Amino acid sequence: MRPLDTALVLAAALLLFALPAAGGCAGDAFQGDIPACRCDVELCTSASCGYELRLDPGCNGQIAKAEVLIDGHLESDILSPGISVIPCTRTEPGVESQIIVRGGDWVWGPLVERCTDPGETRLLVLQCIEATQ
């Protein structure tokens, strides 16, 4: 290998090792902007169903906060014990939505919820108990 080729290979290798240290995983928690609520981008009718999510009181001490994903949309409100969340995402009558809630070691879902009663707000209370089979 010629000296110039060797120098280029070494420079490329050093750059590969330096890039992650320069900010790739520098501990910055910023993940980017959360996409707009589906009902802000598309039309959600007054007949669409909403959701109210709560963590069961038994979750106190087991989980501090959880994030909510509905139909691929990450909701901006964080779910935590004692605080209800009403997501901006709504489901049209006759349509199913997939809901996943994740926090700490806990994952609920995918929960499949269908809007059967137009305009209804469905209450989902998530429990912190191990599923048994």
Side-chain angles (χ1 to χ4, degrees):
M1 192 178 283
R2 298 180 313 190
L4 181 57
D5 293 338
T6 303
L8 288 174
V9 169
L10 287 174
L14 286 173
L15 185 60
L16 286 174
F17 288 110
L19 281 177
C25 293
D28 187 3
F30 182 71
Q31 296 283 325
D33 292 333
I34 294 176
C37 178
R38 183 172 68 194
C39 291
D40 291 342
V41 177
E42 302 171 19
L43 176 65
C44 290
T45 66
S46 60
S48 63
C49 295
Y51 302 97
E52 179 179 350
L53 292 108
R54 293 183 196 161
L55 290 171
D56 184 77
C59 294
N60 289 335
Q62 295 190 52
I63 185 171
K65 59 185 177 178
E67 58 190 2
V68 178
L69 184 75
I70 302 178
D71 294 334
H73 177 264
L74 181 63
E75 296 292 326
S76 59
D77 290 337
I78 300 295
L79 185 61
S80 55
I83 298 175
S84 292
V85 166
I86 298 178
C88 68
T89 301
R90 299 177 60 81
T91 306
E92 292 300 321
V95 176
E96 290 181 343
S97 284
Q98 183 180 33
I99 302 172
I100 300 172
V101 179
R102 180 185 72 167
D105 294 334
W106 294 93
V107 176
W108 293 267
L111 307 170
V112 177
E113 295 291 326
R114 176 180 283 278
C115 179
T116 54
D117 296 323
E120 173 187 37
T121 298
R122 300 181 61 101
L123 174 61
L124 302 175
V125 180
L126 306 171
Q127 298 181 348
C128 293
I129 56 173
E130 295 291 330
T132 58
Q133 294 183 348

